[in-house]
């Protein structure tokens, strides 16, 4: 069945994508960098190499004859980066006014240089040069790990785990923190959904159409403010196109991705296209769809876990020497199931219907003078989340409307400061609740100012940041005699700060340290909730007197970066005052749901992360990843609930230029440090295998990946899963993915 559905999508969509592809000619043209990419040892042309300029956002992909055409905003010198899996990344300076063909020779190497990072950094830098532990998924590496949800896609990275109430509602966990402490971004802007207000809520983000995904582990509040105590996840799409494709009439750029998975009979695909209308106007369109059935486990089906995701977007901009400015609109819809079987839950489970629309205006100006760029963002997001009780009764309703604006100015050298950024942000949010919830409708207003500066004392680089946020939460009614306490308007003000140092002791050896003070404002749900949350099978009781969470995080890390060895080890300590969490009281409400009371306690989370990638000989590679976090309540030394156990991943692969194979083992230790009413889980080991082939067809690099997961059909349970009491994790699964970038 999966095969037939894949074939249908290939016929309908691939023809449109490939039909727009043509071999490019080497035509010199003002306002473009033209070149050719080839293998250093054979002079053979390389298709599928990504050529980019971080400063302008320009990007191109090499054709079958190795040629590329990269539009640039002005005739000056640019730093150009060329990447292709299986080859060493090349960075070079190119003078766009020289009107010369750029020849890029790439040396074969199974380990690539760390990818560029733009999230949370003053300027784009390679991952081994940023001051915070960072993971980047892009291109073929993203395809290899692509799963049904964003959280599952990222789960293999150090410090990350997955919590869920079924496959449709998987949440990312970073260093033991999740929900409202993980800031989810799309092209650098907050998503504006309600995933953080319940373990049953899916995030309105799909990674299948992303150009790249960046993960910042640890507090990152200076540029983003509240909700970044645990980390930041940024899904980069470039919905507002920052550059114009190659000038050949009718040429398209974009990507097509196709997926299928046996364990849930899932099939999905995405297509994004960018068309040049004029020399100044590009248009970007995107379509994606994914559907799946109930999840198969080694002991049977996990009923009511099917999903249906659809997404469409369109954007355009005006691109000129001064920068670019444009607009985009995106729609996301997701219907998914939450399984039954919990205390107070329906035997058949609950259906969730969610949808999100987002409109955004974005401009990046590159004025002469003190600032290198000024980024201006304004957006409006509308979100609705409905939980349907069988047969067709609205049990819970969440609505959210967000209007936001931000200005971020980046500068180069100012006296002793080598680079920096400063800005301001304002937002207004309207929260609505319905169904059986008694939570009052509320509004939240936020204002912030911030600055982040760097000083380069080669070989040491220092970074310092400061931010102040003011937040006011106002319910639509005041109730001093409410059962949960005095419901009233609350105002919160908090200062955040960070200080970090990075020392490059040798060409390949780097050490660093950072300390960050971050905060989180209690959510409307934590302050004022009073009633049954249907799909979470919980009766949630808020606390109107909660205070702002204040976290102090310390990171110490060591990095090794070389041609055949990349390694990083990080130790972290995060002390959070007034840490808010729902404590299960052990009692049942009048509707027979377990009661969860939000409360604040000082908490401490400490742990480590490690990652190693090594090519001992030839094209043979070895990977090892491990992470551990221990969370406790400071006053009583009791364990925090829902903390992942020690977990690791070990992989051995062989990756010549045109294909690869990899064997991987995922392991986790027993978790018996549990909170009240939380059950322990045993350790496990799971075997996965993956293989892929790279084929140049019609001038483009086509990548096909086959992956087998849990090949031993092991019965194991994820400690962070709310359904572990009734069903184990997914059984044996075969997935296939196809991707072409053009």
């Amino acid at each position: 069945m999966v095969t037939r559905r894949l074939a249908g999508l290939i016929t309908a969509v691939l023809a449109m994508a490939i039909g727009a592809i043509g071999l490019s000619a080497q035509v010199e043209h003002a306002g473009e960098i033209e070149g050719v990419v080839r293998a250093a040892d054979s002079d053979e042309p390389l298709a599928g190499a990504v050529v980019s300029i971080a400063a302008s956002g320009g990007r191109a992909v090499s054709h079958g004859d190795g040629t590329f055409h990269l539009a640039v905003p002005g005739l000056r010198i640019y730093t150009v980066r060329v990447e292709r899996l299986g080859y060493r990344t090349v960075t070079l300076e190119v003078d766009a006014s020289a009107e010369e063909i750029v020849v890029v020779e790439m040396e074969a190497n199974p380990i690539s240089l760390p990818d560029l990072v733009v999230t949370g950094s003053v300027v784009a830098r390679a991952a081994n040069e940023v001051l915070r532990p960072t993971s980047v998924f892009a291109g073929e590496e993203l395809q290899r790990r692509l799963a049904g949800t964003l959280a599952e896609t990222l789960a293999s990275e150090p410090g990350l785990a997955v919590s869920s109430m079924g496959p449709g509602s998987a949440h990312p966990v970073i260093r033991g923190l999740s929900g409202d402490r993980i800031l989810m971004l799309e092209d650098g802007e907050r998503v504006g959904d309600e995933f953080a207000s319940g373990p049953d809520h899916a995030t309105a983000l799909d990674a299948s159409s992303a150009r790249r995904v960046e993960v910042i582990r640890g507090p990152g509040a200076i540029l983003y403010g509240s909700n970044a105590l645990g980390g930041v996840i940024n899904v980069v799409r470039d919905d507002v196109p920052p550059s114009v494709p190659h000038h050949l009439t009718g040429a398209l750029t974009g990507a097509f991705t196709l997926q299928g998975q046996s364990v849930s009979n899932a099939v999905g695909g995405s297509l994004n296209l960018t068309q040049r209308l004029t020399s100044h106007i590009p248009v970007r369109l995107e379509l994606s769809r994914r559907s799946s059935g109930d999840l198969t486990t080694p002991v049977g089906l996990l009923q009511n876990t099917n999903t249906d995701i659809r997404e469409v977007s369109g954007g355009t901009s005006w691109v000129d020497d001064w920068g670019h400015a444009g607009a985009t609109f995106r729609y996301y819809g997701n219907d998914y199931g939450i399984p039954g079987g919990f205390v107070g839950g329906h035997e058949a489970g609950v259906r969730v219907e969610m949808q999100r629309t987002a409109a955004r205006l974005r401009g990046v100006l590159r004025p002469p003078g003190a600032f290198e760029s000024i980024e201006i963002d304004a957006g409006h997001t509308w979100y609705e989340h409905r939980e349907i009780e069988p047969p067709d009764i609205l049990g819970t309703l969440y609505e959210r409307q967000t209007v936001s604006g931000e200005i971020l100015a980046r500068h180069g050298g100012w006296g002793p400061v080598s680079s920096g950024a400063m800005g301001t942000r304002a937002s207004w949010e309207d929260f609505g609740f319905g169904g059986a919830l008694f939570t009052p409708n509320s509004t939240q207003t936020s204002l912030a100012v911030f600055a982040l500066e760097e000083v380069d004392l080669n070989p040491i680089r220092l970074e310092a940041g400061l931010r102040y946020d003011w937040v006011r939460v106002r319910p639509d009614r005041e109730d001093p005699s409410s059962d949960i306490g005095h419901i009233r308007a609350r105002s919160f003000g908090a200062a955040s700060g960070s200080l970090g140092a990075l020392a490059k002791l040798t060409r390949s050896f780097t050490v660093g340290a950072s300390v960050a003070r971050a905060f989180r404002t209690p959510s409307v749900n934590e302050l004022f909730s009073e009633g049954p949350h249907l799909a979470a099978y919980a009766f949630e009781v808020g606390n109107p007197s909660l205070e702002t969470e204040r976290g102090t995080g310390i990171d110490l890390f060591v990095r090794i970066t070389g041609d055949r060895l990349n390694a990083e080890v990080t130790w972290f300590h995060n002390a959070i005052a007034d840490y808010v969490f729902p404590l299960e009281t052990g009692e049942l409400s009048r509707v027979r749901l377990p009661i969860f009371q939000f409360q604040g306690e000082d908490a401490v989370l400490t742990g480590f992360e490690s990652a190693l990638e090594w090519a001992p000989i030839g094209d043979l590679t070895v990977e090892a990843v491990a992470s551990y976090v221990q969370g406790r309540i400071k006053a009583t030394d009791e364990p925090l609930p829902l903390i992942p156990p020690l977990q690791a991943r070990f992989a051995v692969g062989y990756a010549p230029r045109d294909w690869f194979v990899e064997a991987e083992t995922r392991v986790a230790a027993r978790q018996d440090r549990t909170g009240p009413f939380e059950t322990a889980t045993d350790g496990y080991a799971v075997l996965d295998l993956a293989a892929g082939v790279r084929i140049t067809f019609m001038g483009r690099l086509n990548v096909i990946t086959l992956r087998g997961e849990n090949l031993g059909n092991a019965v194991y349970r994820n400690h962070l899963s709310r359904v572990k009491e009734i069903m184990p994790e997914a059984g044996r699964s075969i997935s296939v993915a196809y991707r072409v970038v053009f």
Side-chain angles (χ1 to χ4, degrees):
M1 183 174 181
V2 172
T3 304
R4 290 197 301 270
R5 295 164 76 185
L6 288 174
L9 274 176
I10 291 175
T11 302
V13 182
L14 184 57
M16 180 173 62
I18 298 299
I21 298 172
L23 299 180
S24 76
Q26 292 186 0
V27 180
E28 295 188 8
H29 185 269
E32 289 184 351
I33 295 175
E34 303 182 54
V36 59
V37 183
R38 62 194 187 195
D41 57 352
S42 64
D43 287 338
E44 293 182 1
L46 294 177
V50 178
V51 187
S52 60
I53 301 175
S56 67
R59 183 172 173 271
V61 178
S62 63
H63 299 198
D65 58 0
T67 61
F68 66 87
H69 300 256
L70 183 62
V72 293
L75 300 180
R76 57 179 185 268
I77 296 176
Y78 293 92
T79 300
V80 177
R81 184 179 174 95
V82 186
E83 302 166 283
R84 191 182 190 274
L85 203 62
Y87 290 83
R88 186 174 295 122
T89 300
V90 175
T91 301
L92 66 161
E93 302 292 320
V94 177
D95 187 349
S97 64
E99 295 187 1
E100 296 179 353
I101 300 296
V102 179
V103 178
V104 181
E105 295 189 340
M106 304 192 75
E107 298 180 0
N109 198 64
I111 296 179
S112 300
L113 286 177
D115 209 335
L116 284 179
V117 177
V118 298
T119 304
S121 182
V122 174
V123 296
R125 285 195 174 90
N128 65 316
E129 297 176 346
V130 296
L131 275 160
R132 290 170 183 81
T134 304
S135 300
V136 180
F137 286 79
E140 188 177 332
E141 181 63 23
L142 178 59
Q143 174 182 314
R144 287 193 195 183
R145 299 294 174 185
L146 203 58
T149 64
L150 178 63
E152 293 170 308
T153 299
L154 304 177
S156 62
E157 288 303 289
L160 273 81
V162 177
S163 67
S164 72
M165 289 188 68
S169 61
H171 282 208
V173 178
I174 303 178
R175 297 181 172 182
L177 299 176
S178 61
D180 211 27
R181 299 175 184 90
I182 305 298
L183 183 55
M184 308 292 286
L185 303 175
E186 188 171 47
D187 279 342
E189 282 296 302
R190 293 170 182 252
V191 177
D193 58 13
E194 280 290 318
F195 100 98
S197 62
D200 57 304
H201 294 187
T203 180
L205 277 177
D206 181 24
S208 65
S209 60
R211 181 168 67 82
R212 57 194 286 115
V213 180
E214 299 182 358
V215 182
I216 310 298
R217 304 190 299 276
I222 300 305
L223 293 182
Y224 303 112
S226 181
N227 309 100
L229 271 78
V232 180
I233 297 175
N234 188 15
V235 176
V236 180
R237 308 185 194 275
D238 291 334
D239 272 349
V240 177
S243 62
V244 181
H246 180 232
H247 63 278
L248 290 179
T249 302
L252 287 170
T253 64
F256 172 63
T257 301
L258 190 64
Q259 290 177 275
Q261 187 181 43
S262 65
V263 75
S264 59
N265 196 28
V267 63
S270 67
L271 173 68
N272 66 76
L273 302 169
T274 302
Q275 170 70 57
R276 173 194 179 105
L277 292 186
T278 73
S279 60
H280 293 285
I281 303 177
V283 173
R284 184 183 187 276
L285 299 174
E286 180 184 312
L287 297 169
S288 67
R289 182 72 185 269
R290 186 180 192 275
S291 62
S292 67
D294 291 339
L295 184 72
T296 302
T297 78
V299 298
L301 285 178
L302 184 58
Q303 301 287 345
N304 196 48
T305 53
N306 56 310
T307 63
D308 182 16
I309 301 173
R310 59 270 178 205
E311 195 165 14
V312 60
S313 75
T316 187
S317 62
W318 180 276
V319 181
D320 216 319
D321 292 348
W322 48 260
H324 71 277
T328 184
F329 176 84
R330 176 173 291 272
Y331 168 82
Y332 176 91
N334 187 1
D335 299 341
Y336 63 95
I338 300 295
F342 299 94
V343 175
H346 293 277
E347 183 176 348
V350 173
R351 296 299 303 169
V352 177
E353 299 173 356
M354 56 178 281
Q355 52 184 331
R356 168 183 175 259
T357 61
R360 183 179 182 187
L361 302 175
R362 175 173 172 79
V364 179
L365 313 179
R366 305 186 186 281
F371 292 100
E372 294 184 346
S373 69
I374 300 176
E375 302 172 17
I376 303 173
D377 276 287
H380 174 271
T381 302
W382 174 82
Y383 175 84
E384 183 183 73
H385 176 109
R386 304 167 65 90
E387 299 176 1
I388 310 299
E389 174 185 350
D392 193 22
I393 302 171
L394 177 63
T396 307
L397 171 67
Y398 293 86
E399 290 183 335
R400 183 173 183 176
Q401 186 175 194
T402 305
V403 179
S404 64
E406 182 174 5
I407 299 176
L408 176 64
R410 302 179 189 268
H411 65 82
W414 285 3
V417 176
S418 56
S419 59
M422 58 188 65
T424 182
R425 186 179 192 277
S427 67
W428 174 86
E429 296 176 277
D430 182 69
F431 298 86
F433 304 91
L437 281 179
F438 296 102
T439 308
N441 297 341
S442 305
T443 59
Q444 178 171 301
T445 305
S446 305
L447 296 171
V449 292
F450 55 88
L452 185 64
E453 306 293 331
E454 291 185 353
V455 177
D456 194 345
L457 303 175
N458 191 23
I460 298 174
R461 191 173 77 250
L462 304 177
E463 179 189 274
L466 186 64
R467 181 183 180 110
Y468 186 82
D469 287 78
W470 175 84
V471 179
R472 183 168 178 80
V473 182
R474 182 188 294 274
D476 65 355
R477 58 180 171 86
E478 182 171 339
D479 187 355
S481 59
S482 169
D483 291 341
I484 68 172
H486 185 184
I487 295 178
R488 64 204 187 275
R490 297 289 309 279
S491 294
F492 304 91
S496 305
S498 68
L499 183 65
L502 188 78
K504 194 167 185 177
L505 302 182
T506 69
R507 186 178 69 88
S508 59
F509 187 71
T510 303
V511 298
S514 67
V515 57
R517 176 80 166 178
F519 82 102
R520 185 181 76 90
T521 301
S523 69
V524 172
N525 191 57
E526 293 168 340
L527 289 170
F528 306 133
S529 63
E530 183 182 6
H533 184 172
L534 179 65
Y537 306 131
F539 192 96
E540 296 176 340
V541 179
N543 184 346
S545 298
L546 290 173
E547 296 297 331
T548 299
E549 288 185 4
R550 302 168 305 281
T552 302
I554 301 173
D555 277 64
L556 303 174
F557 56 84
V558 176
R559 294 175 183 152
I560 299 174
T561 305
D563 292 339
R564 305 190 69 83
L565 175 66
N566 290 332
E568 179 173 325
V569 178
T570 303
W571 174 87
F572 63 87
H573 177 86
N574 199 354
I576 304 177
D578 294 314
Y579 177 89
V580 178
F581 63 97
L583 179 66
E584 187 172 356
T585 64
E587 300 177 356
L588 296 180
S589 71
R590 59 184 179 275
V591 290
R592 309 302 298 168
L593 288 172
I595 297 176
F596 287 81
Q597 168 77 58
F598 288 103
Q599 66 176 35
E601 297 276 1
D602 292 352
V604 178
L605 296 99
T606 305
F608 75 89
E609 303 155 349
S610 62
L612 177 144
E613 187 180 12
W614 178 38
I617 183 172
D619 296 315
L620 183 69
T621 60
V622 177
E623 290 185 65
V625 171
S627 56
Y628 175 73
V629 58
Q630 183 183 99
R632 61 184 177 86
I633 298 173
K634 187 175 181 180
T636 63
D637 209 34
E638 294 178 354
L640 283 175
L642 297 175
I643 297 295
L646 171 66
Q647 54 189 24
R649 177 174 66 89
F650 305 97
V652 177
Y654 185 71
R657 302 176 194 180
D658 297 327
W659 56 277
F660 76 90
V661 293
E662 183 181 70
E664 175 183 288
T665 300
R666 292 176 284 129
V667 300
R670 174 179 172 82
Q671 179 58 291
D672 51 15
R673 285 183 51 84
T674 57
F677 307 102
E678 185 183 9
T679 58
T681 49
D682 293 330
Y684 61 83
V686 178
L687 174 65
D688 302 334
L689 292 176
V693 60
R694 308 178 187 104
I695 303 171
T696 301
F697 175 67
M698 296 187 67
R700 301 297 175 177
L701 183 66
N702 299 256
V703 181
I704 302 172
T705 304
L706 183 68
R707 185 173 180 84
E709 297 179 289
N710 192 11
L711 293 180
N713 208 33
V715 176
Y716 71 102
R717 286 170 166 79
N718 174 15
H719 184 73
L720 304 185
S721 170
R722 290 283 296 272
V723 304
K724 64 179 183 289
E725 304 294 341
I726 58 173
M727 280 289 182
E729 294 299 296
R732 183 183 296 111
S733 175
I734 304 297
S735 61
V736 61
Y738 166 79
R739 180 177 175 87
V740 58
V741 179
F742 49 90

